[in-house]
Amino acid sequence: MELLEEYIRKNGAVKEGNVLKVDSFLNHQMDVKLFAAMGREWKRLFADAPINKILTIEASGIGIACVVAEAFDVPVVFAKKAQSINIDGAVYAAKVQSFTHKRVYDVIVSKKFLSPDDHILVIDDFLANGCAVNGLLDIIEESGATLEGVGIAIEKGFQEGGKLLRERGVRLESLAIVDAMDAATGSLTFRR
Amino acid sequence: MELLEEYIRKNGAVKEGNVLKVDSFLNHQMDVKLFAAMGREWKRLFADAPINKILTIEASGIGIACVVAEAFDVPVVFAKKAQSINIDGAVYAAKVQSFTHKRVYDVIVSKKFLSPDDHILVIDDFLANGCAVNGLLDIIEESGATLEGVGIAIEKGFQEGGKLLRERGVRLESLAIVDAMDAATGSLTFRR
């Protein structure tokens, strides 16, 4: 998606340790006009899919998912990190290893909000090794819902998450795929 | 706001310990049509304020803030809980006590995204004792930005957060104020 690539080139920064900082528009400060354009693009890409719900994971996926959900006219459910006293009753749970925070945490979704009748689009800001998305896919499988696809803003194409999802037959639509980046020069190569 | 009160009456549940569960539409599953209506209402209420940015706090405030930001045509910044390796450089920080999780945590905002030129609307899902909002107000004050007001979806009017903010002269617009609730009967009383 050309607009997103422009944002990344103009406002992103490549840092040591394979970190792509996009915190001025994607995951700390958030440009909701960009998110609305992303929603229109995913709606075009998944036009034939009977999506009735969007699933994401806290925290940075939530803003994108909510603006994108307006394009699909469906509700959002977000997987919560760790147990909250406000979640009672039964939950679906999965373990996720965080690339950013270097630790494993539990994510949970109340059983009230996912059922075999649901057709789910998973939305998240980043795909690297795929741990967060795989946790959400485990939860969807446990619920009996149908996975219609996964929409990612920025895929790190040099890490294996996207490749493994495509090999499993998951319909994955990443709006920008970074195939290489260099912290020394700040250069970025997008997949064509 | 009548629509929000209807949602609360129809889909909310009063639980022991002053918990109002609204997880089917506000803070776990999220009804983005409701959020858009809330955005229009706050835009009407703050029509005269020169708001150029919305500030919220992860996680459940983010979805509301992003949809509401579309009505104001401004970006969102969310305060992050605890330190992330992806936040480098200087941050504004405040301590927040969580009513839900019974613990104190640090919230941070990168100094890049708040400055004395900014006119801020704070948005959050709940106001009870006001700890989260007060943490955000501390951060705004530290940054030199101007606080234009605070928009809350549901204020628990029987806790002191709202009263203390109004006494300080903060322009607070809560779309629903619950003055009493009873877990035994499930009854709810809204402020008129």
Side-chain angles (χ1 to χ4, degrees):
Chain A
M1 182 190 180
E2 190 148 332
L3 180 65
L4 179 59
E5 291 183 7
E6 277 174 28
Y7 265 80
I8 297 168
R9 283 198 191 282
K10 193 174 165 193
N11 306 304
V14 181
K15 302 280 180 182
E16 291 297 336
N18 279 337
V19 172
L20 176 59
K21 275 183 78 78
V22 286
D23 60 351
S24 67
F25 62 94
L26 198 73
N27 52 18
H28 186 16
Q29 183 165 258
M30 295 181 289
D31 188 314
V32 295
K33 273 187 190 166
L34 172 65
F35 294 1
M38 289 161 55
R40 289 189 296 273
E41 179 65 2
W42 275 316
K43 178 67 185 166
R44 187 183 70 77
L45 293 165
F46 289 106
D48 60 319
I51 291 158
N52 76 325
K53 200 167 276 188
I54 287 176
L55 181 66
T56 188
I57 186 167
E58 72 170 56
S60 44
I62 298 174
I64 300 169
C66 281
V67 174
V68 168
E70 297 185 276
F72 285 85
D73 195 16
V74 300
V76 173
V77 173
F78 72 89
K80 298 191 175 200
K81 292 176 182 171
Q83 193 75 27
S84 155
I85 60 160
N86 279 1
I87 296 227
D88 58 13
V91 297
Y92 302 115
K95 291 205 180 292
V96 169
Q97 180 155 15
S98 168
F99 173 76
T100 312
H101 298 97
K102 315 277 186 213
R103 64 187 185 86
V104 175
Y105 52 89
D106 293 296
V107 295
I108 54 175
V109 173
S110 169
K111 289 190 176 177
K112 292 185 293 185
F113 305 131
L114 283 180
S115 81
D117 295 334
D118 287 321
H119 291 256
I120 306 295
L121 174 63
V122 169
I123 292 285
D124 207 3
D125 56 342
F126 266 101
L127 176 65
N129 54 29
C131 288
V133 168
N134 284 325
L136 296 179
L137 268 47
D138 289 346
I139 283 172
I140 291 168
E141 190 176 352
E142 194 186 346
S143 76
T146 302
L147 174 68
E148 292 292 338
V150 176
I152 297 292
I154 304 175
E155 177 182 337
K156 289 176 170 171
F158 52 88
Q159 289 183 255
E160 65 181 1
K163 179 171 170 284
L164 293 176
L165 286 174
R166 290 183 183 96
E167 283 173 3
R168 281 172 59 185
V170 171
R171 186 169 171 185
L172 170 63
E173 296 288 359
S174 300
L175 299 185
I177 302 178
V178 178
D179 270 336
M181 57 189 205
D182 184 335
T185 63
S187 72
L188 280 164
T189 308
F190 291 104
R191 191 173 300 176
R192 287 279 78 84
Chain B
M1 184 191 181
E2 191 147 332
L3 180 65
L4 179 58
E5 292 183 6
E6 277 175 27
Y7 265 80
I8 297 168
R9 284 199 191 281
K10 193 175 163 193
N11 306 305
V14 181
K15 301 281 181 182
E16 292 296 336
N18 280 336
V19 172
L20 176 58
K21 275 183 79 75
V22 286
D23 60 352
S24 66
F25 62 93
L26 198 74
N27 52 18
H28 185 16
Q29 184 165 258
M30 296 181 288
D31 188 315
V32 296
K33 273 187 190 167
L34 172 65
F35 294 2
M38 289 160 55
R40 290 190 295 273
E41 178 65 2
W42 276 316
K43 179 67 186 169
R44 187 183 70 79
L45 292 165
F46 289 105
D48 59 319
I51 291 158
N52 76 324
K53 200 167 277 189
I54 287 177
L55 180 66
T56 188
I57 186 166
E58 72 170 57
S60 44
I62 299 174
I64 300 169
C66 281
V67 174
V68 168
E70 297 185 276
F72 285 85
D73 196 16
V74 299
V76 173
V77 173
F78 72 90
K80 299 192 175 200
K81 292 176 181 169
Q83 193 76 28
S84 156
I85 60 161
N86 279 0
I87 296 229
D88 58 13
V91 296
Y92 303 116
K95 290 202 181 294
V96 170
Q97 180 155 14
S98 167
F99 172 75
T100 311
H101 298 97
K102 315 276 187 213
R103 62 187 187 85
V104 175
Y105 53 89
D106 292 297
V107 295
I108 55 175
V109 173
S110 168
K111 289 190 176 177
K112 290 184 293 185
F113 305 129
L114 283 180
S115 81
D117 295 333
D118 287 321
H119 291 256
I120 307 294
L121 173 63
V122 169
I123 292 286
D124 207 3
D125 56 343
F126 266 100
L127 177 64
N129 54 30
C131 288
V133 168
N134 284 326
L136 296 179
L137 267 48
D138 289 347
I139 282 173
I140 292 169
E141 190 175 353
E142 194 186 346
S143 75
T146 303
L147 174 68
E148 293 291 338
V150 176
I152 297 292
I154 304 176
E155 178 183 336
K156 289 176 171 172
F158 52 88
Q159 290 183 255
E160 66 180 2
K163 179 171 170 284
L164 294 175
L165 286 173
R166 291 183 184 96
E167 283 173 4
R168 281 171 61 184
V170 172
R171 185 171 174 183
L172 170 62
E173 297 288 359
S174 300
L175 299 185
I177 303 178
V178 177
D179 269 338
M181 57 189 203
D182 184 336
T185 63
S187 72
L188 280 163
T189 308
F190 291 105
R191 189 174 301 177
R192 286 279 78 85

